[in-house]
Amino acid sequence: MALKATIYKADLNIADMDIHRYEDHQLTMALHPSETIERLMVRILAFARYAGEALEFTKDLFETDEPALWEKDLTGQLIQWIEVGCPDEDKVKKASARCKKVAVVAYGTSVDEWYKRSSKLKTLSNVEVWKISPATTEAVQQLCERTMQLQLNIMDGEWTLIGDKGQAVIEWERLQ
C-alpha cells in the first residue's frame, strides 16, 4: 500500500518593513512521503519571497513537470515558476521559455557545485537563483509543526521567521 502525504497548515503573517508590505496567508501543504521537513520549510520560504494572491503550491513531487510553486493569471497562463532545490537545468530552461519569471530557491550542501555545473542557467535573463544557507534550513526545521503560526519580519534586508517553537534568521544569497 502506498504511503499518503501528510498535510501541514501554516498561517503566515508577512511584515516587510522595507517595502511596506503586510500580508496574511493561510497555507496548506502536502508533505510527500519522500519529502523532508527541510524541503517543506524551504517551500514556505519560497512562498514568502514571492508571495501573491495567485501564488500556489503544486503537486511537484507527484507531477514531475510542475515546479514547487507557480502563479497563473486569470486565463491560466503561467506568470511565475518557482523551483525548490537543485533542479535539472533543462527543466528550468523549458520553464523560462514558458513564463515571464522563473526562480530557483536552492538549498543544501551541494548548491555551489550544482550552480557551477549549470552553465545554461547563467544564459537565461528571466531566471533568478537564490541560495539558502544550511544554517537557515537547520533553524527553520525546528519551527515546523503540523499546524504552524509563523510571523516573518523583514527589516533592512534581514529576514526573521518566528514560530511557537522559537525563531530563525533567514540567510539569502542571490546567485543570479
Side-chain angles (χ1 to χ4, degrees), residues 14-49:
I14 300 173
D16 188 338
M17 275 76 72
D18 292 346
I19 61 170
H20 303 289
R21 176 181 70 149
Y22 307 96
E23 303 172 350
D24 289 308
H25 300 276
Q26 283 72 45
L27 309 177
T28 301
M29 299 148 298
L31 178 72
H32 187 275
S34 67
E35 187 177 20
T36 63
I37 294 295
E38 178 182 36
R39 187 174 189 281
L40 175 84
M41 295 304 288
V42 170
R43 286 195 293 144
I44 291 173
L45 294 176
F47 182 93
R49 176 160 285 285

PDB file of all heavy atoms in Angstrom, residues 14-49:
ATOM      1  N   ILE A  14       3.271  38.107   6.982  1.00  0.00           N
ATOM      2  CA  ILE A  14       4.480  38.739   6.452  1.00  0.00           C
ATOM      3  C   ILE A  14       4.418  40.233   6.747  1.00  0.00           C
ATOM      4  O   ILE A  14       3.458  40.901   6.375  1.00  0.00           O
ATOM      5  CB  ILE A  14       4.609  38.515   4.934  1.00  0.00           C
ATOM      6  CG1 ILE A  14       4.676  37.012   4.619  1.00  0.00           C
ATOM      7  CG2 ILE A  14       5.842  39.244   4.382  1.00  0.00           C
ATOM      8  CD1 ILE A  14       4.627  36.692   3.135  1.00  0.00           C
ATOM      9  N   ALA A  15       5.448  40.725   7.425  1.00  0.00           N
ATOM     10  CA  ALA A  15       5.582  42.161   7.695  1.00  0.00           C
ATOM     11  C   ALA A  15       6.920  42.607   7.104  1.00  0.00           C
ATOM     12  O   ALA A  15       7.974  42.403   7.713  1.00  0.00           O
ATOM     13  CB  ALA A  15       5.531  42.439   9.188  1.00  0.00           C
ATOM     14  N   ASP A  16       6.862  43.136   5.883  1.00  0.00           N
ATOM     15  CA  ASP A  16       8.063  43.598   5.191  1.00  0.00           C
ATOM     16  C   ASP A  16       8.138  45.111   5.342  1.00  0.00           C
ATOM     17  O   ASP A  16       7.512  45.852   4.582  1.00  0.00           O
ATOM     18  CB  ASP A  16       8.011  43.181   3.722  1.00  0.00           C
ATOM     19  CG  ASP A  16       9.318  43.456   2.988  1.00  0.00           C
ATOM     20  OD1 ASP A  16      10.096  44.310   3.464  1.00  0.00           O
ATOM     21  OD2 ASP A  16       9.541  42.830   1.943  1.00  0.00           O
ATOM     22  N   MET A  17       8.895  45.551   6.332  1.00  0.00           N
ATOM     23  CA  MET A  17       9.005  46.978   6.608  1.00  0.00           C
ATOM     24  C   MET A  17       9.805  47.706   5.528  1.00  0.00           C
ATOM     25  O   MET A  17       9.662  48.917   5.372  1.00  0.00           O
ATOM     26  CB  MET A  17       9.647  47.223   7.979  1.00  0.00           C
ATOM     27  CG  MET A  17       8.685  47.178   9.150  1.00  0.00           C
ATOM     28  SD  MET A  17       8.104  45.569   9.714  1.00  0.00           S
ATOM     29  CE  MET A  17       9.448  44.815  10.516  1.00  0.00           C
ATOM     30  N   ASP A  18      10.627  46.995   4.780  1.00  0.00           N
ATOM     31  CA  ASP A  18      11.434  47.621   3.736  1.00  0.00           C
ATOM     32  C   ASP A  18      10.573  48.168   2.604  1.00  0.00           C
ATOM     33  O   ASP A  18      10.870  49.223   2.052  1.00  0.00           O
ATOM     34  CB  ASP A  18      12.456  46.628   3.167  1.00  0.00           C
ATOM     35  CG  ASP A  18      13.540  46.261   4.179  1.00  0.00           C
ATOM     36  OD1 ASP A  18      13.657  46.958   5.210  1.00  0.00           O
ATOM     37  OD2 ASP A  18      14.264  45.278   3.934  1.00  0.00           O
ATOM     38  N   ILE A  19       9.513  47.435   2.243  1.00  0.00           N
ATOM     39  CA  ILE A  19       8.653  47.883   1.131  1.00  0.00           C
ATOM     40  C   ILE A  19       7.215  48.132   1.580  1.00  0.00           C
ATOM     41  O   ILE A  19       6.327  48.283   0.748  1.00  0.00           O
ATOM     42  CB  ILE A  19       8.695  46.889  -0.054  1.00  0.00           C
ATOM     43  CG1 ILE A  19       8.199  45.502   0.364  1.00  0.00           C
ATOM     44  CG2 ILE A  19      10.090  46.822  -0.663  1.00  0.00           C
ATOM     45  CD1 ILE A  19       7.992  44.542  -0.792  1.00  0.00           C
ATOM     46  N   HIS A  20       6.997  48.125   2.874  1.00  0.00           N
ATOM     47  CA  HIS A  20       5.670  48.376   3.459  1.00  0.00           C
ATOM     48  C   HIS A  20       4.623  47.411   2.904  1.00  0.00           C
ATOM     49  O   HIS A  20       3.568  47.815   2.437  1.00  0.00           O
ATOM     50  CB  HIS A  20       5.245  49.835   3.251  1.00  0.00           C
ATOM     51  CG  HIS A  20       6.237  50.799   3.817  1.00  0.00           C
ATOM     52  ND1 HIS A  20       6.402  50.962   5.165  1.00  0.00           N
ATOM     53  CD2 HIS A  20       7.141  51.612   3.211  1.00  0.00           C
ATOM     54  CE1 HIS A  20       7.366  51.845   5.379  1.00  0.00           C
ATOM     55  NE2 HIS A  20       7.830  52.251   4.217  1.00  0.00           N
ATOM     56  N   ARG A  21       4.939  46.134   2.973  1.00  0.00           N
ATOM     57  CA  ARG A  21       4.018  45.074   2.541  1.00  0.00           C
ATOM     58  C   ARG A  21       3.641  44.274   3.783  1.00  0.00           C
ATOM     59  O   ARG A  21       4.503  43.762   4.490  1.00  0.00           O
ATOM     60  CB  ARG A  21       4.689  44.166   1.500  1.00  0.00           C
ATOM     61  CG  ARG A  21       3.821  43.000   1.079  1.00  0.00           C
ATOM     62  CD  ARG A  21       4.527  42.127   0.068  1.00  0.00           C
ATOM     63  NE  ARG A  21       5.621  41.407   0.712  1.00  0.00           N
ATOM     64  CZ  ARG A  21       6.042  40.208   0.337  1.00  0.00           C
ATOM     65  NH1 ARG A  21       5.515  39.604  -0.703  1.00  0.00           N
ATOM     66  NH2 ARG A  21       7.027  39.614   0.979  1.00  0.00           N
ATOM     67  N   TYR A  22       2.346  44.167   4.022  1.00  0.00           N
ATOM     68  CA  TYR A  22       1.854  43.453   5.204  1.00  0.00           C
ATOM     69  C   TYR A  22       0.740  42.527   4.737  1.00  0.00           C
ATOM     70  O   TYR A  22      -0.293  42.992   4.254  1.00  0.00           O
ATOM     71  CB  TYR A  22       1.356  44.456   6.258  1.00  0.00           C
ATOM     72  CG  TYR A  22       2.419  45.486   6.573  1.00  0.00           C
ATOM     73  CD1 TYR A  22       2.418  46.725   5.937  1.00  0.00           C
ATOM     74  CD2 TYR A  22       3.441  45.189   7.457  1.00  0.00           C
ATOM     75  CE1 TYR A  22       3.418  47.654   6.197  1.00  0.00           C
ATOM     76  CE2 TYR A  22       4.441  46.117   7.724  1.00  0.00           C
ATOM     77  CZ  TYR A  22       4.430  47.344   7.089  1.00  0.00           C
ATOM     78  OH  TYR A  22       5.424  48.251   7.339  1.00  0.00           O
ATOM     79  N   GLU A  23       0.964  41.226   4.866  1.00  0.00           N
ATOM     80  CA  GLU A  23       0.024  40.241   4.318  1.00  0.00           C
ATOM     81  C   GLU A  23      -0.148  39.070   5.275  1.00  0.00           C
ATOM     82  O   GLU A  23       0.754  38.728   6.032  1.00  0.00           O
ATOM     83  CB  GLU A  23       0.538  39.691   2.983  1.00  0.00           C
ATOM     84  CG  GLU A  23       0.796  40.724   1.931  1.00  0.00           C
ATOM     85  CD  GLU A  23       1.480  40.145   0.695  1.00  0.00           C
ATOM     86  OE1 GLU A  23       1.933  38.989   0.708  1.00  0.00           O
ATOM     87  OE2 GLU A  23       1.550  40.886  -0.295  1.00  0.00           O
ATOM     88  N   ASP A  24      -1.307  38.453   5.175  1.00  0.00           N
ATOM     89  CA  ASP A  24      -1.585  37.199   5.874  1.00  0.00           C
ATOM     90  C   ASP A  24      -1.919  36.147   4.834  1.00  0.00           C
ATOM     91  O   ASP A  24      -2.679  36.420   3.893  1.00  0.00           O
ATOM     92  CB  ASP A  24      -2.781  37.357   6.822  1.00  0.00           C
ATOM     93  CG  ASP A  24      -2.446  38.210   8.019  1.00  0.00           C
ATOM     94  OD1 ASP A  24      -1.436  37.920   8.679  1.00  0.00           O
ATOM     95  OD2 ASP A  24      -3.199  39.171   8.293  1.00  0.00           O
ATOM     96  N   HIS A  25      -1.354  34.952   5.005  1.00  0.00           N
ATOM     97  CA  HIS A  25      -1.613  33.846   4.075  1.00  0.00           C
ATOM     98  C   HIS A  25      -1.914  32.584   4.877  1.00  0.00           C
ATOM     99  O   HIS A  25      -1.205  32.278   5.838  1.00  0.00           O
ATOM    100  CB  HIS A  25      -0.395  33.589   3.176  1.00  0.00           C
ATOM    101  CG  HIS A  25      -0.009  34.768   2.336  1.00  0.00           C
ATOM    102  ND1 HIS A  25      -0.613  35.041   1.136  1.00  0.00           N
ATOM    103  CD2 HIS A  25       0.902  35.749   2.540  1.00  0.00           C
ATOM    104  CE1 HIS A  25      -0.076  36.131   0.623  1.00  0.00           C
ATOM    105  NE2 HIS A  25       0.840  36.583   1.457  1.00  0.00           N
ATOM    106  N   GLN A  26      -2.966  31.887   4.481  1.00  0.00           N
ATOM    107  CA  GLN A  26      -3.277  30.594   5.068  1.00  0.00           C
ATOM    108  C   GLN A  26      -2.789  29.543   4.065  1.00  0.00           C
ATOM    109  O   GLN A  26      -3.349  29.417   2.968  1.00  0.00           O
ATOM    110  CB  GLN A  26      -4.779  30.426   5.315  1.00  0.00           C
ATOM    111  CG  GLN A  26      -5.276  31.173   6.537  1.00  0.00           C
ATOM    112  CD  GLN A  26      -5.315  32.675   6.358  1.00  0.00           C
ATOM    113  OE1 GLN A  26      -5.759  33.175   5.351  1.00  0.00           O
ATOM    114  NE2 GLN A  26      -4.814  33.402   7.346  1.00  0.00           N
ATOM    115  N   LEU A  27      -1.752  28.812   4.444  1.00  0.00           N
ATOM    116  CA  LEU A  27      -1.122  27.849   3.550  1.00  0.00           C
ATOM    117  C   LEU A  27      -1.481  26.429   3.959  1.00  0.00           C
ATOM    118  O   LEU A  27      -1.461  26.095   5.138  1.00  0.00           O
ATOM    119  CB  LEU A  27       0.402  28.015   3.578  1.00  0.00           C
ATOM    120  CG  LEU A  27       0.948  29.428   3.352  1.00  0.00           C
ATOM    121  CD1 LEU A  27       2.462  29.432   3.492  1.00  0.00           C
ATOM    122  CD2 LEU A  27       0.516  29.943   1.999  1.00  0.00           C
ATOM    123  N   THR A  28      -1.786  25.611   2.971  1.00  0.00           N
ATOM    124  CA  THR A  28      -1.983  24.177   3.183  1.00  0.00           C
ATOM    125  C   THR A  28      -1.030  23.466   2.246  1.00  0.00           C
ATOM    126  O   THR A  28      -1.055  23.693   1.039  1.00  0.00           O
ATOM    127  CB  THR A  28      -3.433  23.764   2.891  1.00  0.00           C
ATOM    128  OG1 THR A  28      -4.299  24.500   3.760  1.00  0.00           O
ATOM    129  CG2 THR A  28      -3.633  22.278   3.123  1.00  0.00           C
ATOM    130  N   MET A  29      -0.167  22.628   2.804  1.00  0.00           N
ATOM    131  CA  MET A  29       0.842  21.928   2.024  1.00  0.00           C
ATOM    132  C   MET A  29       0.783  20.441   2.301  1.00  0.00           C
ATOM    133  O   MET A  29       0.556  20.030   3.438  1.00  0.00           O
ATOM    134  CB  MET A  29       2.236  22.445   2.379  1.00  0.00           C
ATOM    135  CG  MET A  29       2.428  23.916   2.104  1.00  0.00           C
ATOM    136  SD  MET A  29       3.548  24.688   3.267  1.00  0.00           S
ATOM    137  CE  MET A  29       2.714  24.458   4.795  1.00  0.00           C
ATOM    138  N   ALA A  30       1.009  19.677   1.265  1.00  0.00           N
ATOM    139  CA  ALA A  30       1.099  18.229   1.412  1.00  0.00           C
ATOM    140  C   ALA A  30       2.573  17.848   1.461  1.00  0.00           C
ATOM    141  O   ALA A  30       3.342  18.217   0.578  1.00  0.00           O
ATOM    142  CB  ALA A  30       0.406  17.536   0.245  1.00  0.00           C
ATOM    143  N   LEU A  31       2.965  17.143   2.511  1.00  0.00           N
ATOM    144  CA  LEU A  31       4.328  16.635   2.625  1.00  0.00           C
ATOM    145  C   LEU A  31       4.344  15.241   2.015  1.00  0.00           C
ATOM    146  O   LEU A  31       3.777  14.301   2.572  1.00  0.00           O
ATOM    147  CB  LEU A  31       4.776  16.591   4.087  1.00  0.00           C
ATOM    148  CG  LEU A  31       6.175  16.034   4.339  1.00  0.00           C
ATOM    149  CD1 LEU A  31       7.236  17.029   3.872  1.00  0.00           C
ATOM    150  CD2 LEU A  31       6.367  15.724   5.813  1.00  0.00           C
ATOM    151  N   HIS A  32       4.946  15.122   0.851  1.00  0.00           N
ATOM    152  CA  HIS A  32       5.050  13.845   0.138  1.00  0.00           C
ATOM    153  C   HIS A  32       5.872  12.882   1.002  1.00  0.00           C
ATOM    154  O   HIS A  32       6.795  13.310   1.702  1.00  0.00           O
ATOM    155  CB  HIS A  32       5.741  14.099  -1.213  1.00  0.00           C
ATOM    156  CG  HIS A  32       5.762  12.929  -2.124  1.00  0.00           C
ATOM    157  ND1 HIS A  32       6.728  11.966  -2.054  1.00  0.00           N
ATOM    158  CD2 HIS A  32       4.936  12.576  -3.126  1.00  0.00           C
ATOM    159  CE1 HIS A  32       6.508  11.065  -2.984  1.00  0.00           C
ATOM    160  NE2 HIS A  32       5.423  11.414  -3.653  1.00  0.00           N
ATOM    161  N   PRO A  33       5.579  11.583   0.986  1.00  0.00           N
ATOM    162  CA  PRO A  33       6.328  10.633   1.817  1.00  0.00           C
ATOM    163  C   PRO A  33       7.843  10.664   1.579  1.00  0.00           C
ATOM    164  O   PRO A  33       8.612  10.375   2.491  1.00  0.00           O
ATOM    165  CB  PRO A  33       5.743   9.267   1.430  1.00  0.00           C
ATOM    166  CG  PRO A  33       4.369   9.588   0.949  1.00  0.00           C
ATOM    167  CD  PRO A  33       4.461  10.933   0.296  1.00  0.00           C
ATOM    168  N   SER A  34       8.273  11.053   0.369  1.00  0.00           N
ATOM    169  CA  SER A  34       9.709  11.101   0.094  1.00  0.00           C
ATOM    170  C   SER A  34      10.322  12.470   0.380  1.00  0.00           C
ATOM    171  O   SER A  34      11.517  12.664   0.223  1.00  0.00           O
ATOM    172  CB  SER A  34       9.972  10.734  -1.369  1.00  0.00           C
ATOM    173  OG  SER A  34       9.453  11.734  -2.226  1.00  0.00           O
ATOM    174  N   GLU A  35       9.499  13.427   0.809  1.00  0.00           N
ATOM    175  CA  GLU A  35       9.968  14.787   1.059  1.00  0.00           C
ATOM    176  C   GLU A  35      10.411  14.941   2.509  1.00  0.00           C
ATOM    177  O   GLU A  35       9.885  14.301   3.408  1.00  0.00           O
ATOM    178  CB  GLU A  35       8.832  15.771   0.759  1.00  0.00           C
ATOM    179  CG  GLU A  35       9.209  17.219   0.820  1.00  0.00           C
ATOM    180  CD  GLU A  35       8.059  18.142   0.438  1.00  0.00           C
ATOM    181  OE1 GLU A  35       6.888  17.722   0.478  1.00  0.00           O
ATOM    182  OE2 GLU A  35       8.348  19.289   0.116  1.00  0.00           O
ATOM    183  N   THR A  36      11.379  15.827   2.717  1.00  0.00           N
ATOM    184  CA  THR A  36      11.869  16.094   4.068  1.00  0.00           C
ATOM    185  C   THR A  36      11.192  17.344   4.644  1.00  0.00           C
ATOM    186  O   THR A  36      10.657  18.165   3.903  1.00  0.00           O
ATOM    187  CB  THR A  36      13.393  16.338   4.050  1.00  0.00           C
ATOM    188  OG1 THR A  36      13.661  17.508   3.266  1.00  0.00           O
ATOM    189  CG2 THR A  36      14.145  15.141   3.485  1.00  0.00           C
ATOM    190  N   ILE A  37      11.266  17.474   5.956  1.00  0.00           N
ATOM    191  CA  ILE A  37      10.777  18.679   6.630  1.00  0.00           C
ATOM    192  C   ILE A  37      11.581  19.887   6.141  1.00  0.00           C
ATOM    193  O   ILE A  37      11.034  20.977   5.966  1.00  0.00           O
ATOM    194  CB  ILE A  37      10.879  18.537   8.165  1.00  0.00           C
ATOM    195  CG1 ILE A  37       9.932  17.443   8.667  1.00  0.00           C
ATOM    196  CG2 ILE A  37      10.620  19.854   8.869  1.00  0.00           C
ATOM    197  CD1 ILE A  37       8.461  17.732   8.458  1.00  0.00           C
ATOM    198  N   GLU A  38      12.865  19.694   5.891  1.00  0.00           N
ATOM    199  CA  GLU A  38      13.707  20.775   5.378  1.00  0.00           C
ATOM    200  C   GLU A  38      13.126  21.339   4.081  1.00  0.00           C
ATOM    201  O   GLU A  38      12.973  22.545   3.929  1.00  0.00           O
ATOM    202  CB  GLU A  38      15.126  20.253   5.131  1.00  0.00           C
ATOM    203  CG  GLU A  38      16.068  21.288   4.559  1.00  0.00           C
ATOM    204  CD  GLU A  38      17.456  20.724   4.283  1.00  0.00           C
ATOM    205  OE1 GLU A  38      17.575  19.551   3.876  1.00  0.00           O
ATOM    206  OE2 GLU A  38      18.424  21.482   4.452  1.00  0.00           O
ATOM    207  N   ARG A  39      12.763  20.475   3.149  1.00  0.00           N
ATOM    208  CA  ARG A  39      12.212  20.930   1.869  1.00  0.00           C
ATOM    209  C   ARG A  39      10.850  21.610   2.064  1.00  0.00           C
ATOM    210  O   ARG A  39      10.548  22.611   1.427  1.00  0.00           O
ATOM    211  CB  ARG A  39      12.086  19.766   0.884  1.00  0.00           C
ATOM    212  CG  ARG A  39      11.674  20.232  -0.505  1.00  0.00           C
ATOM    213  CD  ARG A  39      11.704  19.067  -1.514  1.00  0.00           C
ATOM    214  NE  ARG A  39      11.512  19.554  -2.857  1.00  0.00           N
ATOM    215  CZ  ARG A  39      10.342  19.884  -3.394  1.00  0.00           C
ATOM    216  NH1 ARG A  39       9.230  19.807  -2.673  1.00  0.00           N
ATOM    217  NH2 ARG A  39      10.259  20.314  -4.632  1.00  0.00           N
ATOM    218  N   LEU A  40      10.025  21.062   2.942  1.00  0.00           N
ATOM    219  CA  LEU A  40       8.725  21.668   3.238  1.00  0.00           C
ATOM    220  C   LEU A  40       8.907  23.108   3.719  1.00  0.00           C
ATOM    221  O   LEU A  40       8.230  24.023   3.258  1.00  0.00           O
ATOM    222  CB  LEU A  40       7.980  20.849   4.294  1.00  0.00           C
ATOM    223  CG  LEU A  40       6.662  21.455   4.771  1.00  0.00           C
ATOM    224  CD1 LEU A  40       5.539  21.072   3.811  1.00  0.00           C
ATOM    225  CD2 LEU A  40       6.329  20.987   6.180  1.00  0.00           C
ATOM    226  N   MET A  41       9.844  23.311   4.633  1.00  0.00           N
ATOM    227  CA  MET A  41      10.062  24.646   5.177  1.00  0.00           C
ATOM    228  C   MET A  41      10.688  25.588   4.139  1.00  0.00           C
ATOM    229  O   MET A  41      10.378  26.776   4.117  1.00  0.00           O
ATOM    230  CB  MET A  41      10.916  24.574   6.447  1.00  0.00           C
ATOM    231  CG  MET A  41      10.246  23.842   7.603  1.00  0.00           C
ATOM    232  SD  MET A  41       8.624  24.502   8.069  1.00  0.00           S
ATOM    233  CE  MET A  41       9.095  26.041   8.850  1.00  0.00           C
ATOM    234  N   VAL A  42      11.523  25.063   3.255  1.00  0.00           N
ATOM    235  CA  VAL A  42      12.080  25.883   2.173  1.00  0.00           C
ATOM    236  C   VAL A  42      10.965  26.296   1.212  1.00  0.00           C
ATOM    237  O   VAL A  42      10.962  27.419   0.702  1.00  0.00           O
ATOM    238  CB  VAL A  42      13.230  25.153   1.442  1.00  0.00           C
ATOM    239  CG1 VAL A  42      13.634  25.893   0.169  1.00  0.00           C
ATOM    240  CG2 VAL A  42      14.432  25.003   2.368  1.00  0.00           C
ATOM    241  N   ARG A  43       9.985  25.422   0.998  1.00  0.00           N
ATOM    242  CA  ARG A  43       8.840  25.804   0.161  1.00  0.00           C
ATOM    243  C   ARG A  43       8.084  26.981   0.783  1.00  0.00           C
ATOM    244  O   ARG A  43       7.625  27.872   0.084  1.00  0.00           O
ATOM    245  CB  ARG A  43       7.892  24.617  -0.058  1.00  0.00           C
ATOM    246  CG  ARG A  43       8.444  23.600  -1.023  1.00  0.00           C
ATOM    247  CD  ARG A  43       7.392  22.637  -1.517  1.00  0.00           C
ATOM    248  NE  ARG A  43       6.887  21.764  -0.473  1.00  0.00           N
ATOM    249  CZ  ARG A  43       5.627  21.350  -0.378  1.00  0.00           C
ATOM    250  NH1 ARG A  43       4.722  21.727  -1.252  1.00  0.00           N
ATOM    251  NH2 ARG A  43       5.251  20.545   0.588  1.00  0.00           N
ATOM    252  N   ILE A  44       7.966  26.998   2.113  1.00  0.00           N
ATOM    253  CA  ILE A  44       7.308  28.119   2.789  1.00  0.00           C
ATOM    254  C   ILE A  44       8.131  29.396   2.596  1.00  0.00           C
ATOM    255  O   ILE A  44       7.578  30.458   2.304  1.00  0.00           O
ATOM    256  CB  ILE A  44       7.091  27.818   4.290  1.00  0.00           C
ATOM    257  CG1 ILE A  44       6.046  26.722   4.451  1.00  0.00           C
ATOM    258  CG2 ILE A  44       6.678  29.083   5.047  1.00  0.00           C
ATOM    259  CD1 ILE A  44       5.863  26.233   5.867  1.00  0.00           C
ATOM    260  N   LEU A  45       9.451  29.292   2.705  1.00  0.00           N
ATOM    261  CA  LEU A  45      10.308  30.460   2.493  1.00  0.00           C
ATOM    262  C   LEU A  45      10.211  30.960   1.050  1.00  0.00           C
ATOM    263  O   LEU A  45      10.199  32.170   0.805  1.00  0.00           O
ATOM    264  CB  LEU A  45      11.758  30.146   2.850  1.00  0.00           C
ATOM    265  CG  LEU A  45      12.031  29.854   4.320  1.00  0.00           C
ATOM    266  CD1 LEU A  45      13.487  29.469   4.523  1.00  0.00           C
ATOM    267  CD2 LEU A  45      11.647  31.036   5.197  1.00  0.00           C
ATOM    268  N   ALA A  46      10.155  30.033   0.097  1.00  0.00           N
ATOM    269  CA  ALA A  46       9.995  30.416  -1.310  1.00  0.00           C
ATOM    270  C   ALA A  46       8.664  31.129  -1.510  1.00  0.00           C
ATOM    271  O   ALA A  46       8.591  32.144  -2.213  1.00  0.00           O
ATOM    272  CB  ALA A  46      10.087  29.189  -2.209  1.00  0.00           C
ATOM    273  N   PHE A  47       7.617  30.613  -0.874  1.00  0.00           N
ATOM    274  CA  PHE A  47       6.316  31.281  -0.954  1.00  0.00           C
ATOM    275  C   PHE A  47       6.435  32.708  -0.409  1.00  0.00           C
ATOM    276  O   PHE A  47       5.948  33.658  -1.015  1.00  0.00           O
ATOM    277  CB  PHE A  47       5.243  30.501  -0.191  1.00  0.00           C
ATOM    278  CG  PHE A  47       3.880  31.133  -0.292  1.00  0.00           C
ATOM    279  CD1 PHE A  47       2.998  30.730  -1.272  1.00  0.00           C
ATOM    280  CD2 PHE A  47       3.505  32.159   0.560  1.00  0.00           C
ATOM    281  CE1 PHE A  47       1.757  31.341  -1.401  1.00  0.00           C
ATOM    282  CE2 PHE A  47       2.273  32.778   0.448  1.00  0.00           C
ATOM    283  CZ  PHE A  47       1.390  32.364  -0.541  1.00  0.00           C
ATOM    284  N   ALA A  48       7.086  32.854   0.743  1.00  0.00           N
ATOM    285  CA  ALA A  48       7.209  34.165   1.374  1.00  0.00           C
ATOM    286  C   ALA A  48       7.972  35.147   0.489  1.00  0.00           C
ATOM    287  O   ALA A  48       7.613  36.316   0.404  1.00  0.00           O
ATOM    288  CB  ALA A  48       7.896  34.034   2.731  1.00  0.00           C
ATOM    289  N   ARG A  49       9.008  34.686  -0.199  1.00  0.00           N
ATOM    290  CA  ARG A  49       9.800  35.575  -1.056  1.00  0.00           C
ATOM    291  C   ARG A  49       8.968  36.090  -2.221  1.00  0.00           C
ATOM    292  O   ARG A  49       9.108  37.231  -2.634  1.00  0.00           O
ATOM    293  CB  ARG A  49      11.043  34.862  -1.576  1.00  0.00           C
ATOM    294  CG  ARG A  49      11.823  35.751  -2.562  1.00  0.00           C
ATOM    295  CD  ARG A  49      13.246  35.349  -2.756  1.00  0.00           C
ATOM    296  NE  ARG A  49      14.123  35.679  -1.672  1.00  0.00           N
ATOM    297  CZ  ARG A  49      14.571  36.916  -1.399  1.00  0.00           C
ATOM    298  NH1 ARG A  49      14.185  37.942  -2.108  1.00  0.00           N
ATOM    299  NH2 ARG A  49      15.404  37.113  -0.413  1.00  0.00           N
TER     300      ARG A  49
END
